[in-house]
Amino acid sequence: MKFRSSILALLACAGIAFGGTTAMAADKGPIKVGVYLPLTGQNAFGGQLEVDGVRLAKEQMPKVLGRDIELVVVDNKSDKVEAGNAVKRLIERDHVNVIIGTYGSSLAMAGGEVAEKAKVPAVGTSCTNPLVTMGKKYYFRVCYIDPWQGAAAATYVHDNLKMKKAAILMDMTNDYAVGLSAFFEKSFKKLGGEMVAKLKYSSGDQDFTAQLTELIKLKPDVVFMPAYFAEGAIIMKQARELGATFRLMGADAMDNPDTVKIGGKAVEGFLHTTFPYDVKKTDMTPEAKAFTEAWYKAHPKQDPNVNAALGYNAFYVIYDAIERAGSADPQAIADALAKTKDLPTALGKLTINATHDAEMPVGIIEYRNGERVYVTEVSPK
């Protein structure tokens, strides 16, 4: 607890760097933290924000155990095969001690298999599918998982909005969308809701007229569509053009400034789940305030979002684990990561549970008058 208190004090003091206070070891060269995130391709926007969050954290925490921390960043190109290759390069070529990544569950599952075989710990940023960590000894994450997120979305729709009829529109080629859809459906039915349809499309589709026309005929109260922001915004526009009156709800992959830019007026009333951070929250924790202030100092013309906070948190969790382990040995880091409990972070107190997943509440966003509004936080039933 003394360490965490000192972290908070340092966070509040601009210009004071982390690390260097526990020089338990002589200089043995840098501790290498590998980063594999999508910097190009479909998921590049989220991946870049997470890299920016990682780099911001590294600037504030440049040393641990008296040794420099070196980031080795590799683009996984939003591709499953490349994600596996990226992790292999980080381990075999760059000899990293620990890995951060990645945005996207499919990418994390591909990279996770490589890290697991090599026994190198990895900390996922926004990969929410349960399979990412299932059965893994060396893969962790700083985000909640899809069963938790999907159930929270269903709880909010059923209990808060009092909606009883729902439908699903999902990308059948995407693990993230398929998993979230299944968990939403299961939870919504358990709460007593009726599922009137489950329609599908494929990644890259641009015309959703057929599916939306069918949904309009079925008259659900809400359509759950766990899409990525670009496709989700197109779906919203086409739904409104067709005269749809049902509410649309997405998940954390819709949490992107370009959602409004692409969707325009069609985003009015749109809902999505998110991680428990928002730049406009009035009740920020000291850690969230410190992260926000540091972000604006580094990026004065750009608001931080949850992806940046998740990247920041991933680095911080690793830093904390190395500090507590007193070692940069991969096995020691993995053991310490598994014992992370009630760590104060920009996303609230974070505990990594027995399945290596982060436990935290789920935020709800609603778009009102073209603005993204953080409505509340909900825990699933």
mmCIF file with all atom_site columns, all heavy atoms in Angstrom, residues 32 72 74 86 88-97:
data_model
loop_
_atom_site.group_PDB
_atom_site.id
_atom_site.type_symbol
_atom_site.label_atom_id
_atom_site.label_alt_id
_atom_site.label_comp_id
_atom_site.label_asym_id
_atom_site.label_entity_id
_atom_site.label_seq_id
_atom_site.pdbx_PDB_ins_code
_atom_site.Cartn_x
_atom_site.Cartn_y
_atom_site.Cartn_z
_atom_site.occupancy
_atom_site.B_iso_or_equiv
_atom_site.pdbx_formal_charge
_atom_site.auth_seq_id
_atom_site.auth_comp_id
_atom_site.auth_asym_id
_atom_site.auth_atom_id
_atom_site.pdbx_PDB_model_num
ATOM 1   N N   . LYS A 1 32 ? 12.495 -4.989  -21.198 1.00 0.00 ? 32 LYS A N   1
ATOM 2   C CA  . LYS A 1 32 ? 11.786 -4.798  -22.458 1.00 0.00 ? 32 LYS A CA  1
ATOM 3   C C   . LYS A 1 32 ? 10.312 -5.174  -22.347 1.00 0.00 ? 32 LYS A C   1
ATOM 4   O O   . LYS A 1 32 ? 9.976  -6.288  -21.945 1.00 0.00 ? 32 LYS A O   1
ATOM 5   C CB  . LYS A 1 32 ? 12.445 -5.626  -23.562 1.00 0.00 ? 32 LYS A CB  1
ATOM 6   C CG  . LYS A 1 32 ? 13.835 -5.132  -23.961 1.00 0.00 ? 32 LYS A CG  1
ATOM 7   C CD  . LYS A 1 32 ? 14.342 -5.875  -25.185 1.00 0.00 ? 32 LYS A CD  1
ATOM 8   C CE  . LYS A 1 32 ? 15.680 -5.329  -25.643 1.00 0.00 ? 32 LYS A CE  1
ATOM 9   N NZ  . LYS A 1 32 ? 16.135 -6.021  -26.887 1.00 0.00 ? 32 LYS A NZ  1
ATOM 10  N N   . VAL A 1 72 ? 8.990  -1.942  -27.124 1.00 0.00 ? 72 VAL A N   1
ATOM 11  C CA  . VAL A 1 72 ? 9.214  -2.465  -28.471 1.00 0.00 ? 72 VAL A CA  1
ATOM 12  C C   . VAL A 1 72 ? 7.832  -2.633  -29.099 1.00 0.00 ? 72 VAL A C   1
ATOM 13  O O   . VAL A 1 72 ? 7.085  -3.538  -28.740 1.00 0.00 ? 72 VAL A O   1
ATOM 14  C CB  . VAL A 1 72 ? 9.964  -3.812  -28.460 1.00 0.00 ? 72 VAL A CB  1
ATOM 15  C CG1 . VAL A 1 72 ? 10.242 -4.260  -29.898 1.00 0.00 ? 72 VAL A CG1 1
ATOM 16  C CG2 . VAL A 1 72 ? 11.261 -3.705  -27.657 1.00 0.00 ? 72 VAL A CG2 1
ATOM 17  N N   . VAL A 1 74 ? 5.142  -3.276  -32.138 1.00 0.00 ? 74 VAL A N   1
ATOM 18  C CA  . VAL A 1 74 ? 4.975  -3.980  -33.408 1.00 0.00 ? 74 VAL A CA  1
ATOM 19  C C   . VAL A 1 74 ? 3.518  -3.854  -33.843 1.00 0.00 ? 74 VAL A C   1
ATOM 20  O O   . VAL A 1 74 ? 2.597  -4.028  -33.038 1.00 0.00 ? 74 VAL A O   1
ATOM 21  C CB  . VAL A 1 74 ? 5.357  -5.473  -33.275 1.00 0.00 ? 74 VAL A CB  1
ATOM 22  C CG1 . VAL A 1 74 ? 5.129  -6.202  -34.599 1.00 0.00 ? 74 VAL A CG1 1
ATOM 23  C CG2 . VAL A 1 74 ? 6.807  -5.621  -32.837 1.00 0.00 ? 74 VAL A CG2 1
ATOM 24  N N   . ALA A 1 86 ? 3.599  -11.294 -34.848 1.00 0.00 ? 86 ALA A N   1
ATOM 25  C CA  . ALA A 1 86 ? 4.113  -10.148 -34.091 1.00 0.00 ? 86 ALA A CA  1
ATOM 26  C C   . ALA A 1 86 ? 4.596  -10.582 -32.718 1.00 0.00 ? 86 ALA A C   1
ATOM 27  O O   . ALA A 1 86 ? 5.666  -10.172 -32.254 1.00 0.00 ? 86 ALA A O   1
ATOM 28  C CB  . ALA A 1 86 ? 3.028  -9.077  -33.966 1.00 0.00 ? 86 ALA A CB  1
ATOM 29  N N   . LYS A 1 88 ? 5.519  -13.579 -31.860 1.00 0.00 ? 88 LYS A N   1
ATOM 30  C CA  . LYS A 1 88 ? 6.704  -14.430 -32.064 1.00 0.00 ? 88 LYS A CA  1
ATOM 31  C C   . LYS A 1 88 ? 7.952  -13.579 -32.244 1.00 0.00 ? 88 LYS A C   1
ATOM 32  O O   . LYS A 1 88 ? 9.015  -13.880 -31.670 1.00 0.00 ? 88 LYS A O   1
ATOM 33  C CB  . LYS A 1 88 ? 6.490  -15.324 -33.288 1.00 0.00 ? 88 LYS A CB  1
ATOM 34  C CG  . LYS A 1 88 ? 7.608  -16.330 -33.498 1.00 0.00 ? 88 LYS A CG  1
ATOM 35  C CD  . LYS A 1 88 ? 7.286  -17.265 -34.665 1.00 0.00 ? 88 LYS A CD  1
ATOM 36  C CE  . LYS A 1 88 ? 8.390  -18.290 -34.847 1.00 0.00 ? 88 LYS A CE  1
ATOM 37  N NZ  . LYS A 1 88 ? 8.098  -19.213 -35.975 1.00 0.00 ? 88 LYS A NZ  1
ATOM 38  N N   . ARG A 1 89 ? 7.844  -12.488 -33.016 1.00 0.00 ? 89 ARG A N   1
ATOM 39  C CA  . ARG A 1 89 ? 8.996  -11.609 -33.230 1.00 0.00 ? 89 ARG A CA  1
ATOM 40  C C   . ARG A 1 89 ? 9.414  -10.930 -31.925 1.00 0.00 ? 89 ARG A C   1
ATOM 41  O O   . ARG A 1 89 ? 10.608 -10.807 -31.632 1.00 0.00 ? 89 ARG A O   1
ATOM 42  C CB  . ARG A 1 89 ? 8.670  -10.544 -34.283 1.00 0.00 ? 89 ARG A CB  1
ATOM 43  C CG  . ARG A 1 89 ? 8.602  -11.085 -35.699 1.00 0.00 ? 89 ARG A CG  1
ATOM 44  C CD  . ARG A 1 89 ? 8.705  -9.966  -36.725 1.00 0.00 ? 89 ARG A CD  1
ATOM 45  N NE  . ARG A 1 89 ? 7.588  -9.025  -36.630 1.00 0.00 ? 89 ARG A NE  1
ATOM 46  C CZ  . ARG A 1 89 ? 6.420  -9.184  -37.236 1.00 0.00 ? 89 ARG A CZ  1
ATOM 47  N NH1 . ARG A 1 89 ? 6.204  -10.268 -37.975 1.00 0.00 ? 89 ARG A NH1 1
ATOM 48  N NH2 . ARG A 1 89 ? 5.470  -8.281  -37.129 1.00 0.00 ? 89 ARG A NH2 1
ATOM 49  N N   . LEU A 1 90 ? 8.431  -10.495 -31.157 1.00 0.00 ? 90 LEU A N   1
ATOM 50  C CA  . LEU A 1 90 ? 8.749  -9.832  -29.890 1.00 0.00 ? 90 LEU A CA  1
ATOM 51  C C   . LEU A 1 90 ? 9.504  -10.761 -28.944 1.00 0.00 ? 90 LEU A C   1
ATOM 52  O O   . LEU A 1 90 ? 10.414 -10.343 -28.236 1.00 0.00 ? 90 LEU A O   1
ATOM 53  C CB  . LEU A 1 90 ? 7.463  -9.346  -29.218 1.00 0.00 ? 90 LEU A CB  1
ATOM 54  C CG  . LEU A 1 90 ? 6.770  -8.136  -29.849 1.00 0.00 ? 90 LEU A CG  1
ATOM 55  C CD1 . LEU A 1 90 ? 5.406  -7.918  -29.227 1.00 0.00 ? 90 LEU A CD1 1
ATOM 56  C CD2 . LEU A 1 90 ? 7.641  -6.887  -29.701 1.00 0.00 ? 90 LEU A CD2 1
ATOM 57  N N   . ILE A 1 91 ? 9.124  -12.030 -28.957 1.00 0.00 ? 91 ILE A N   1
ATOM 58  C CA  . ILE A 1 91 ? 9.752  -12.997 -28.056 1.00 0.00 ? 91 ILE A CA  1
ATOM 59  C C   . ILE A 1 91 ? 11.097 -13.484 -28.583 1.00 0.00 ? 91 ILE A C   1
ATOM 60  O O   . ILE A 1 91 ? 12.105 -13.468 -27.871 1.00 0.00 ? 91 ILE A O   1
ATOM 61  C CB  . ILE A 1 91 ? 8.807  -14.192 -27.822 1.00 0.00 ? 91 ILE A CB  1
ATOM 62  C CG1 . ILE A 1 91 ? 7.562  -13.736 -27.063 1.00 0.00 ? 91 ILE A CG1 1
ATOM 63  C CG2 . ILE A 1 91 ? 9.519  -15.310 -27.056 1.00 0.00 ? 91 ILE A CG2 1
ATOM 64  C CD1 . ILE A 1 91 ? 6.460  -14.774 -26.998 1.00 0.00 ? 91 ILE A CD1 1
ATOM 65  N N   . GLU A 1 92 ? 11.133 -13.899 -29.845 1.00 0.00 ? 92 GLU A N   1
ATOM 66  C CA  . GLU A 1 92 ? 12.338 -14.535 -30.387 1.00 0.00 ? 92 GLU A CA  1
ATOM 67  C C   . GLU A 1 92 ? 13.381 -13.540 -30.876 1.00 0.00 ? 92 GLU A C   1
ATOM 68  O O   . GLU A 1 92 ? 14.586 -13.791 -30.746 1.00 0.00 ? 92 GLU A O   1
ATOM 69  C CB  . GLU A 1 92 ? 11.940 -15.471 -31.527 1.00 0.00 ? 92 GLU A CB  1
ATOM 70  C CG  . GLU A 1 92 ? 11.059 -16.627 -31.075 1.00 0.00 ? 92 GLU A CG  1
ATOM 71  C CD  . GLU A 1 92 ? 10.700 -17.577 -32.209 1.00 0.00 ? 92 GLU A CD  1
ATOM 72  O OE1 . GLU A 1 92 ? 11.122 -17.317 -33.369 1.00 0.00 ? 92 GLU A OE1 1
ATOM 73  O OE2 . GLU A 1 92 ? 10.010 -18.581 -31.945 1.00 0.00 ? 92 GLU A OE2 1
ATOM 74  N N   . ARG A 1 93 ? 12.926 -12.418 -31.443 1.00 0.00 ? 93 ARG A N   1
ATOM 75  C CA  . ARG A 1 93 ? 13.883 -11.439 -31.972 1.00 0.00 ? 93 ARG A CA  1
ATOM 76  C C   . ARG A 1 93 ? 14.258 -10.386 -30.935 1.00 0.00 ? 93 ARG A C   1
ATOM 77  O O   . ARG A 1 93 ? 15.429 -10.027 -30.783 1.00 0.00 ? 93 ARG A O   1
ATOM 78  C CB  . ARG A 1 93 ? 13.286 -10.750 -33.204 1.00 0.00 ? 93 ARG A CB  1
ATOM 79  C CG  . ARG A 1 93 ? 14.211 -9.717  -33.869 1.00 0.00 ? 93 ARG A CG  1
ATOM 80  C CD  . ARG A 1 93 ? 13.458 -8.892  -34.896 1.00 0.00 ? 93 ARG A CD  1
ATOM 81  N NE  . ARG A 1 93 ? 12.446 -8.029  -34.271 1.00 0.00 ? 93 ARG A NE  1
ATOM 82  C CZ  . ARG A 1 93 ? 11.575 -7.303  -34.958 1.00 0.00 ? 93 ARG A CZ  1
ATOM 83  N NH1 . ARG A 1 93 ? 11.541 -7.372  -36.288 1.00 0.00 ? 93 ARG A NH1 1
ATOM 84  N NH2 . ARG A 1 93 ? 10.696 -6.535  -34.322 1.00 0.00 ? 93 ARG A NH2 1
ATOM 85  N N   . ASP A 1 94 ? 13.237 -9.893  -30.219 1.00 0.00 ? 94 ASP A N   1
ATOM 86  C CA  . ASP A 1 94 ? 13.470 -8.762  -29.316 1.00 0.00 ? 94 ASP A CA  1
ATOM 87  C C   . ASP A 1 94 ? 13.659 -9.175  -27.857 1.00 0.00 ? 94 ASP A C   1
ATOM 88  O O   . ASP A 1 94 ? 14.044 -8.349  -27.039 1.00 0.00 ? 94 ASP A O   1
ATOM 89  C CB  . ASP A 1 94 ? 12.303 -7.782  -29.421 1.00 0.00 ? 94 ASP A CB  1
ATOM 90  C CG  . ASP A 1 94 ? 12.146 -7.235  -30.833 1.00 0.00 ? 94 ASP A CG  1
ATOM 91  O OD1 . ASP A 1 94 ? 13.135 -6.687  -31.348 1.00 0.00 ? 94 ASP A OD1 1
ATOM 92  O OD2 . ASP A 1 94 ? 11.058 -7.368  -31.414 1.00 0.00 ? 94 ASP A OD2 1
ATOM 93  N N   . HIS A 1 95 ? 13.360 -10.448 -27.539 1.00 0.00 ? 95 HIS A N   1
ATOM 94  C CA  . HIS A 1 95 ? 13.590 -10.984 -26.194 1.00 0.00 ? 95 HIS A CA  1
ATOM 95  C C   . HIS A 1 95 ? 12.927 -10.121 -25.105 1.00 0.00 ? 95 HIS A C   1
ATOM 96  O O   . HIS A 1 95 ? 13.561 -9.749  -24.112 1.00 0.00 ? 95 HIS A O   1
ATOM 97  C CB  . HIS A 1 95 ? 15.085 -11.119 -25.924 1.00 0.00 ? 95 HIS A CB  1
ATOM 98  C CG  . HIS A 1 95 ? 15.824 -11.884 -26.976 1.00 0.00 ? 95 HIS A CG  1
ATOM 99  N ND1 . HIS A 1 95 ? 15.636 -13.239 -27.191 1.00 0.00 ? 95 HIS A ND1 1
ATOM 100 C CD2 . HIS A 1 95 ? 16.728 -11.480 -27.909 1.00 0.00 ? 95 HIS A CD2 1
ATOM 101 C CE1 . HIS A 1 95 ? 16.403 -13.633 -28.202 1.00 0.00 ? 95 HIS A CE1 1
ATOM 102 N NE2 . HIS A 1 95 ? 17.071 -12.591 -28.655 1.00 0.00 ? 95 HIS A NE2 1
ATOM 103 N N   . VAL A 1 96 ? 11.643 -9.840  -25.295 1.00 0.00 ? 96 VAL A N   1
ATOM 104 C CA  . VAL A 1 96 ? 10.925 -9.008  -24.331 1.00 0.00 ? 96 VAL A CA  1
ATOM 105 C C   . VAL A 1 96 ? 10.633 -9.793  -23.060 1.00 0.00 ? 96 VAL A C   1
ATOM 106 O O   . VAL A 1 96 ? 10.540 -11.023 -23.066 1.00 0.00 ? 96 VAL A O   1
ATOM 107 C CB  . VAL A 1 96 ? 9.615  -8.470  -24.932 1.00 0.00 ? 96 VAL A CB  1
ATOM 108 C CG1 . VAL A 1 96 ? 9.897  -7.598  -26.145 1.00 0.00 ? 96 VAL A CG1 1
ATOM 109 C CG2 . VAL A 1 96 ? 8.657  -9.598  -25.293 1.00 0.00 ? 96 VAL A CG2 1
ATOM 110 N N   . ASN A 1 97 ? 10.487 -9.063  -21.953 1.00 0.00 ? 97 ASN A N   1
ATOM 111 C CA  . ASN A 1 97 ? 10.174 -9.681  -20.662 1.00 0.00 ? 97 ASN A CA  1
ATOM 112 C C   . ASN A 1 97 ? 8.687  -9.896  -20.468 1.00 0.00 ? 97 ASN A C   1
ATOM 113 O O   . ASN A 1 97 ? 8.261  -10.821 -19.761 1.00 0.00 ? 97 ASN A O   1
ATOM 114 C CB  . ASN A 1 97 ? 10.693 -8.802  -19.528 1.00 0.00 ? 97 ASN A CB  1
ATOM 115 C CG  . ASN A 1 97 ? 12.178 -8.540  -19.616 1.00 0.00 ? 97 ASN A CG  1
ATOM 116 O OD1 . ASN A 1 97 ? 12.607 -7.677  -20.379 1.00 0.00 ? 97 ASN A OD1 1
ATOM 117 N ND2 . ASN A 1 97 ? 12.974 -9.269  -18.851 1.00 0.00 ? 97 ASN A ND2 1
#
